[in-house]
Amino acid sequence: MKNILELNEDELKDFFLKEENYINFDLPLYFSFQTLLDKVDNKLSGKKLKGFQNSQPRDFENVNYHLLTNKDGKFAWRPFQIINPAIYVSLINTISEEENWQVIKDRFEIFRENKKIECHSLPIISEEEDRTNKEAQILTWWQEIEQKSILLAIDYRYVLHTDITDCYGSIYTHSISWALHTKTEAKKRANRNNQDLIGVAIDTHLQNMSYGQTNGIPQGSVLMDFIAEIVLGYVDLLLTEKIEELNITEYRILRYRDDYRIFTNNPFEAEQIAKLLSEILSNLGLKLNADKTIASDNIIKSSIKDDKRYWIENKRITENKQKWLIQMHLLSEKFPNSGTLDTQMREFLKSLEKSKRKVQNVEVLISLVTEIAFRNPRVSPIAISILSLLVGSIKEKQDKRKLIRKIQTKFKQVPNSSLLKVWLQRLYLKINKSIEYDELICKKVIDNNEKVWNTEWLNGGLKNIIDKTPIVQEETIKKLRVKASKKEIKKIIKRRRYTYE
């Protein structure tokens, strides 16, 4: 494995142009953005996006496509965005210019000089054929955060856990320039709109896709994960300077994106570091999550997440599918939307797909899976795949339709759930074609002429490519069955491998 900073500018561009990095959340198998990305890249090759504009994109709404995913089955939600392909490719081209990429890499060298603050969330590139980049990223978290936290119990007596509230949604886009060029240089009048500065260019692209807003960056792509790391790396640098001023020397910090683990031998020093971090973040428009700031003198216990500890203590997996689902339901009540639930649902899907036995009490299992997904939207893609296998095992088409109506009625109660609707469409698609959808990307599955992104700010050639290049593979849809295919299941299962080994 290697991280993104080890790539040259050509490798960097190729990396970001892969559709798995364009969208890093789960969508049904029939969505494919690779052809579109390639066509846009060919059109923009050696050219600036400005030459294809007839207006400023920041003057238009819905330049990116927004999807909401519910977090708790009630009122909490998280926004994902599918970035407008024209702005996405333009931003990649800008970052991967040799001089710009060198500026970014040089700055990260400075961010990472303090070996006592370790960041392990930079995008990872797998160098093994049987391991995806996502799997490599998860393995890195397990090795460098969880396992290293346990190891640090030898050297330290206390640990303080904390994270940033709504990190991506709160990042001030101007702070990217501060991070890359220092705040003093970035705020000079001559530099504020200087597109030759990579920080300003990134900021401009972000505003162009967000109706001119300077608060928040889109969530849902590896590119945005990396841009967040620029700001968070800057925070690491500022925190180093503040800690040195207080002459605190015995400490270690492990950071994974906006999640911090602060290790010390003195609880007061851990609190001091957290206070410094809070002040630095405040100056950047960010703040620590008070509800998730927890100190402990039991490093090993606190290094393992509560949901994982609970499962280790209580799991009693049997061949009985109903008992397994009941165990997961109990887990989900105690730790909603947890990583352990996500992992176990994938294991259940894998077991169900491989099982040669006739499924007993199918409707009871369907009810259990639906209830788990209803209260834990994080597992919706896996739950839909499980439901497809269970519903697909029912022989009578009329009975299938009846169950689908019940599932549909249940999930209609979940607010802010457009991503869930995308997955429910996969479940309904081969059972009831008369169902209508109000989500635009669902309409796109039915009619490829539907437009996902607002492209009114673009002129002819590039606009036509984005409007008319299919992102839904009709041949894949034709081959679909009610039951999720081996290929679909493999895609879902592989994403979380290594998380709880």
Side-chain angles (χ1 to χ4, degrees):
M1 294 186 295
K2 59 183 179 181
N3 73 50
I4 195 170
L5 299 176
E6 298 174 68
L7 302 180
N8 63 38
E9 59 272 14
D10 294 328
E11 293 169 332
L12 179 77
K13 180 175 177 177
D14 290 343
F15 174 75
F16 281 133
L17 279 176
K18 291 179 180 176
E19 66 175 337
E20 67 180 88
N21 299 319
Y22 176 56
I23 295 178
N24 63 359
F25 53 91
D26 289 326
L27 286 176
L29 189 65
Y30 43 77
F31 286 102
S32 177
F33 297 86
Q34 194 62 62
T35 299
L36 175 58
L37 291 173
D38 291 342
K39 285 185 176 181
V40 172
D41 179 46
N42 288 335
K43 192 72 174 178
L44 284 176
S45 181
K47 304 181 182 74
K48 296 291 185 183
L49 179 59
K50 194 171 183 179
F52 296 88
Q53 297 176 196
N54 53 37
S55 304
Q56 288 293 331
R58 67 181 63 194
D59 294 335
F60 293 79
E61 291 186 292
N62 302 318
V63 170
N64 289 354
Y65 184 73
H66 296 249
L67 279 167
L68 297 180
T69 178
N70 193 285
K71 293 174 68 176
D72 60 359
K74 296 178 182 179
F75 308 111
W77 51 275
R78 174 179 291 130
F80 288 121
Q81 294 185 42
I82 305 177
I83 298 173
N84 189 291
I87 301 178
Y88 180 81
V89 173
S90 175
L91 181 51
I92 291 170
N93 288 342
T94 303
I95 290 174
S96 61
E97 288 179 15
E98 184 177 1
E99 185 176 341
N100 289 340
W101 183 227
Q102 193 59 52
V103 168
I104 293 171
K105 289 200 293 184
D106 289 345
R107 195 61 175 155
F108 268 99
E109 285 294 316
I110 297 171
F111 295 161
R112 293 154 64 88
E113 280 180 354
N114 181 4
K115 302 306 178 186
K116 293 184 178 181
I117 300 180
E118 300 180 26
C119 164
H120 295 292
S121 46
L122 286 170
I124 295 294
I125 295 87
S126 173
E127 296 180 289
E128 299 179 28
E129 289 185 7
D130 64 340
R131 182 178 295 165
T132 67
N133 291 337
K134 285 182 181 178
E135 290 177 296
Q137 194 80 46
I138 292 164
L139 179 59
T140 297
W141 183 89
W142 180 73
Q143 289 177 330
E144 301 297 338
I145 301 296
E146 183 185 278
Q147 297 296 292
K148 187 166 284 187
S149 293
I150 295 171
L151 184 61
L152 287 173
I154 292 177
D155 301 308
Y156 298 97
R157 295 177 58 197
Y158 303 95
V159 62
L160 187 149
H161 296 255
T162 191
D163 69 10
I164 299 171
T165 301
D166 187 25
C167 180
Y168 284 52
S170 302
I171 287 176
Y172 182 48
T173 61
H174 292 343
S175 67
I176 297 165
S177 286
W178 303 351
L180 290 175
H181 310 294
T182 75
K183 193 171 183 178
T184 302
E185 283 298 310
K187 296 194 79 169
K188 286 180 178 178
R189 184 176 296 275
N191 288 336
R192 290 177 189 174
N193 295 303
N194 182 2
Q195 298 299 314
D196 290 332
L197 294 179
I198 181 56
V200 175
I202 293 172
D203 185 3
T204 299
H205 279 82
L206 292 170
Q207 290 185 56
N208 281 343
M209 64 178 74
S210 303
Y211 208 39
Q213 295 179 11
T214 57
N215 286 326
I217 66 173
Q219 190 167 349
S221 70
V222 176
L223 177 59
M224 291 300 135
D225 291 343
F226 179 64
I227 288 174
E229 288 295 341
I230 293 173
V231 176
L232 295 171
Y234 181 50
V235 171
D236 294 343
L237 174 62
L238 297 177
L239 184 58
T240 294
E241 294 170 354
K242 292 293 184 181
I243 292 173
E244 288 175 352
E245 289 176 9
L246 288 184
N247 199 31
I248 298 174
T249 57
E250 287 190 39
Y251 71 94
R252 192 79 162 268
I253 298 173
L254 301 182
R255 178 174 68 77
Y256 192 90
R257 297 206 177 106
D258 61 340
D259 181 87
Y260 294 81
R261 299 184 179 198
I262 302 169
F263 299 83
T264 65
N265 282 312
N266 182 328
F268 176 67
E269 288 185 342
E271 290 180 6
Q272 280 185 303
I273 292 172
K275 182 175 181 291
L276 293 174
L277 177 59
S278 180
E279 291 170 352
I280 291 165
L281 292 172
S282 178
N283 290 330
L284 297 173
L286 303 168
K287 63 180 180 180
L288 289 182
N289 189 336
D291 293 336
K292 292 187 178 180
T293 299
I294 302 169
S296 174
D297 62 359
N298 189 331
I299 291 179
I300 290 179
K301 182 179 178 181
S302 65
S303 294
I304 303 170
K305 290 186 176 182
D306 292 345
D307 55 298
K308 182 177 179 180
R309 287 206 314 270
Y310 172 87
W311 191 255
I312 290 171
E313 292 169 358
N314 294 281
K315 70 175 180 178
R316 297 289 185 275
I317 299 300
T318 69
E319 286 298 312
N320 187 299
K321 297 291 188 290
Q322 186 175 144
K323 287 182 180 179
W324 192 351
L325 284 171
I326 290 171
Q327 289 176 51
M328 287 191 285
H329 184 265
L330 295 173
L331 169 68
S332 72
E333 281 193 318
K334 195 169 182 64
F335 301 102
N337 270 328
S338 67
T340 301
L341 177 64
D342 183 273
T343 299
Q344 286 305 311
M345 288 288 282
R346 291 175 199 273
E347 289 300 314
F348 184 89
L349 172 59
K350 183 165 60 176
S351 174
L352 185 64
E353 190 262 338
K354 289 182 177 180
S355 178
K356 303 299 182 184
R357 296 181 182 179
K358 183 180 179 181
V359 181
Q360 303 295 321
N361 301 313
V362 175
E363 292 191 21
V364 174
L365 299 187
I366 288 171
S367 180
L368 280 164
V369 173
T370 301
E371 186 67 17
I372 291 171
F374 177 78
R375 298 183 183 278
N376 302 270
R378 172 179 180 170
V379 303
S380 295
I382 320 148
I384 297 303
S385 299
I386 293 170
L387 288 173
S388 78
L389 297 181
L390 295 174
V391 173
S393 69
I394 297 171
K395 291 183 178 180
E396 296 295 328
K397 193 169 185 178
Q398 186 176 347
D399 292 337
K400 289 179 184 178
R401 288 195 168 198
K402 183 179 177 182
L403 278 167
I404 286 297
R405 283 195 295 270
K406 290 182 178 181
I407 293 168
Q408 187 180 17
T409 300
K410 179 79 173 181
F411 282 117
K412 276 183 178 179
Q413 301 172 54
V414 181
N416 300 323
S417 57
S418 49
L419 187 57
L420 172 61
K421 291 176 183 177
V422 173
W423 277 98
L424 286 171
Q425 184 181 34
R426 166 62 189 98
L427 180 61
Y428 306 154
L429 208 53
K430 292 295 178 174
I431 298 174
N432 190 346
K433 295 182 180 180
S434 66
I435 294 176
E436 295 183 356
Y437 304 92
D438 56 7
E439 187 64 37
L440 185 56
I441 200 167
C442 293
K443 292 180 180 180
K444 184 80 171 174
V445 175
I446 308 301
D447 181 2
N448 244 321
N449 292 318
E450 291 282 350
K451 296 178 182 178
V452 172
W453 300 276
N454 186 334
T455 57
E456 294 306 309
W457 52 279
L458 285 169
N459 61 34
L462 190 53
K463 175 177 167 45
N464 286 338
I465 288 173
I466 295 173
D467 288 347
K468 295 181 179 180
T469 302
I471 61 170
V472 177
Q473 296 178 313
E474 293 183 7
E475 284 303 312
T476 301
I477 291 178
K478 287 178 183 177
K479 294 176 183 177
L480 289 181
R481 299 292 179 265
V482 174
K483 291 185 177 183
S485 67
K486 290 183 181 296
K487 190 174 182 181
E488 289 177 283
I489 292 171
K490 183 180 179 181
K491 181 184 177 185
I492 290 287
I493 290 172
K494 280 176 72 67
R495 185 170 171 240
R496 286 282 170 176
R497 192 175 156 201
Y498 304 112
T499 310
Y500 292 97
E501 290 185 359

